[in-house]
């Protein structure tokens, strides 16, 4: 079950000169873009940042903010391009390196993300986000021990950081140290009971214990806090499958796929849905390819072989 990683978005805010010169005009476009962000009009924000960049193609704050908007809209190639343009002027810009590393991860460019993480950990070893990024990259590369080391280094800098605690717990979940993961999640919950990822990961641990009703309740708490998260919908769909609510499950799985068509865990769950419906050919359409490409994905081998016997 894929977990959505925490993405930190920090906006650059400009100040305006009183005189009506080119500098103040591009600054006004920047602030108009920021106002659009507050209204959750991300496309409108991009238009104003682009207006500012038409006046000054090297305007760092406009490039960075436009990159953030592209990232939030999952237009990752455009986001990476804007971040890279900023870095041409300052190769060690901390926030831009961090955000580009996250965008690379979401774009499946893990080794490029790893390079940005290495730059951050060597140049900014005092910053927890340097090790946070390094941990995320290591997790995606299935280097779980390296991920734990990175998150631990971050936690030495920020012992009460919920992002680090939750993502370390995720690695412990992957290596089936469920009790240790639960302990970290309880610690994170005491710090911030409004962090949706905590409840989602608790739900995943409960699922491993075959506590399906508890898992469903927990992921619904996660969805109350973050109702647009495709991975939470996918997990809820899986739990509903195991509780026999097949149609409710399909609705959640389809919602997840609509939001993130590349989520292979949702495609797996749709194959499992068709297995439970007794529709062998449809189930195999989803499960066969996953079994051939990622046979170690949890539940894939089990349901592929069960489907073959239908």
């Amino acid at each position: 079950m894929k977990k959505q990683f925490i993405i930190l978005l920090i906006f650059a805010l400009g100040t305006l000169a009183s005189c009506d010169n080119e500098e103040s005009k591009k600054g006004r476009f920047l602030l108009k873009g920021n106002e659009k962000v507050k209204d959750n009009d991300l496309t409108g924000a991009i238009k104003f940042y682009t207006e500012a960049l038409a006046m000054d193609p090297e305007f760092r704050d406009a490039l960075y903010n436009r990159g953030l908007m592209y990232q939030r809209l999952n237009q990752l190639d455009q986001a990476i391009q804007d971040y890279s343009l900023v870095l041409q002027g300052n190769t060690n810009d901390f926030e831009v390196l961090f955000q580009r590393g996250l965008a690379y991860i979401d774009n499946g460019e893990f080794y490029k993300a790893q390079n940005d993480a290495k730059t951050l950990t060597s140049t900014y070893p005092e910053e927890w986000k340097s090790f946070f990024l390094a941990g995320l990259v290591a997790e995606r590369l299935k280097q779980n021990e390296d991920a734990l080391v990175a998150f631990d280094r971050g936690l030495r800098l920020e012992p009460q950081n919920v992002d680090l605690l939750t993502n370390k717990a995720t690695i412990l979940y992957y290596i089936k140290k469920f009790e240790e993961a639960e302990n970290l999640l309880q610690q994170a919950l005491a710090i911030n009971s409004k962090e949706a990822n905590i409840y989602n990961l608790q739900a995943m641990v409960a699922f491993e214990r075959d506590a399906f009703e508890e898992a469903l309740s927990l992921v619904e708490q996660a969805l109350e806090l973050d109702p647009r998260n495709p991975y939470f919908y996918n997990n809820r769909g899986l739990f509903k499958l195991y509780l026999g609510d097949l149609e409710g499950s399909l609705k959640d799985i389809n919602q997840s796929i609509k939001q993130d068509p590349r989520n292979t865990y949702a495609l797996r769950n749709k194959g499992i849905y068709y297995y439970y419906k007794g529709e062998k050919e449809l189930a195999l359409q989803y499960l066969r390819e996953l079994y051939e490409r990622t046979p170690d994905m949890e539940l894939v081998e089990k349901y592929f072989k069960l489907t073959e016997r239908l």
Side-chain angles (χ1 to χ4, degrees):
M1 285 164 284
K2 188 173 177 183
K3 173 183 174 296
Q4 184 187 46
F5 291 110
I6 300 131
I7 293 181
L8 308 176
L9 301 177
I10 301 172
F11 296 95
L13 299 174
T15 56
L16 296 180
S18 58
C19 56
D20 190 24
N21 55 27
E22 188 166 303
E23 196 71 19
S24 69
K25 286 179 181 177
K26 74 177 186 182
R28 276 202 296 276
F29 284 127
L30 176 73
L31 292 185
K32 285 180 179 179
N34 293 343
E35 288 299 318
K36 289 292 184 180
V37 176
K38 293 177 184 177
D39 295 336
N40 203 34
D41 180 3
L42 307 188
T43 302
I46 287 171
K47 289 179 181 178
F48 280 117
Y49 296 143
T50 301
E51 291 280 359
L53 289 164
M55 303 184 72
D56 179 1
E58 298 180 358
F59 188 9
R60 185 266 184 199
D61 290 352
L63 277 171
Y64 177 53
N65 284 10
R66 189 173 70 174
L68 292 173
M69 296 305 99
Y70 281 136
Q71 192 169 2
R72 287 180 61 177
L73 290 168
N74 206 37
Q75 298 175 23
L76 298 171
D77 289 334
Q78 295 96 316
I80 290 165
Q81 183 178 30
D82 277 355
Y83 296 146
S84 297
L85 286 171
V86 176
L87 290 167
Q88 287 179 4
N90 179 5
T91 57
N92 290 327
D93 189 311
F94 174 78
E95 290 298 342
V96 180
L97 274 168
F98 178 73
Q99 288 299 145
R100 188 176 73 171
L102 293 174
Y104 276 141
I105 289 174
D106 286 340
N107 212 32
E109 300 179 78
F110 302 139
Y111 290 103
K112 290 181 180 180
Q114 190 175 57
N115 287 336
D116 282 351
K118 286 178 179 176
T119 300
L120 288 175
T121 55
S122 62
T123 309
Y124 301 99
E126 75 286 355
E127 294 284 350
W128 70 268
K129 285 194 285 187
S130 300
F131 299 101
F132 180 67
L133 180 63
L136 296 184
V137 177
E139 184 277 331
R140 291 299 182 93
L141 292 171
K142 300 182 185 287
Q143 299 167 351
N144 289 329
E145 292 303 321
D146 289 344
L148 288 174
V149 168
F151 291 137
D152 279 336
R153 289 191 66 180
L155 284 165
R156 284 200 289 273
L157 296 168
E158 293 272 350
Q160 301 296 301
N161 187 287
V162 171
D163 295 346
L164 290 164
L165 289 168
T166 305
N167 282 284
K168 181 181 177 182
T170 299
I171 303 301
L172 293 171
Y173 164 81
Y174 288 154
I175 62 178
K176 301 191 180 302
K177 294 186 177 181
F178 300 131
E179 186 174 350
E180 291 182 44
E182 275 282 14
N183 290 339
L184 278 183
L185 291 172
Q186 288 298 332
Q187 185 179 339
L189 200 60
I191 298 166
N192 182 8
S193 63
K194 300 297 184 182
E195 174 50 61
N197 286 289
I198 298 173
Y199 298 101
N200 180 60
L201 188 52
Q202 285 182 320
M204 294 159 70
V205 173
F207 178 80
E208 291 293 334
R209 293 190 275 103
D210 293 338
F212 305 133
E213 291 282 3
E214 180 184 352
L216 181 61
S217 175
L218 285 163
V219 81
E220 285 179 342
Q221 290 184 67
L223 278 164
E224 286 178 11
L225 294 166
D226 186 359
R228 297 182 179 180
N229 191 305
Y231 309 118
F232 299 172
Y233 280 106
N234 184 48
N235 287 348
R236 188 170 73 174
L238 180 64
F239 305 153
K240 286 180 178 179
L241 274 178
Y242 275 72
L243 289 166
D245 180 7
L246 299 187
E247 298 316 308
S249 168
L250 182 62
K251 182 178 178 181
D252 281 342
I253 294 167
N254 283 340
Q255 174 70 22
S256 181
I257 292 172
K258 180 180 178 181
Q259 291 177 258
D260 182 5
R262 297 185 298 180
N263 181 1
T264 53
Y265 288 85
L267 299 175
R268 177 204 66 186
N269 290 350
K270 194 156 185 179
I272 296 172
Y273 163 80
Y274 283 120
Y275 163 78
Y276 279 114
K277 290 287 287 185
E279 300 184 36
K280 180 176 181 177
E281 292 307 315
L282 284 172
L284 287 175
Q285 283 181 24
Y286 288 93
L287 296 171
R288 181 182 287 112
E289 184 179 354
L290 290 171
Y291 181 68
E292 292 171 353
R293 288 193 295 116
T294 55
D296 58 339
M297 181 187 288
E298 188 180 5
L299 300 178
V300 165
E301 181 178 7
K302 173 184 175 181
Y303 280 97
F304 176 70
K305 292 183 175 179
L306 286 171
T307 301
E308 284 192 314
R309 295 200 290 268
L310 281 177

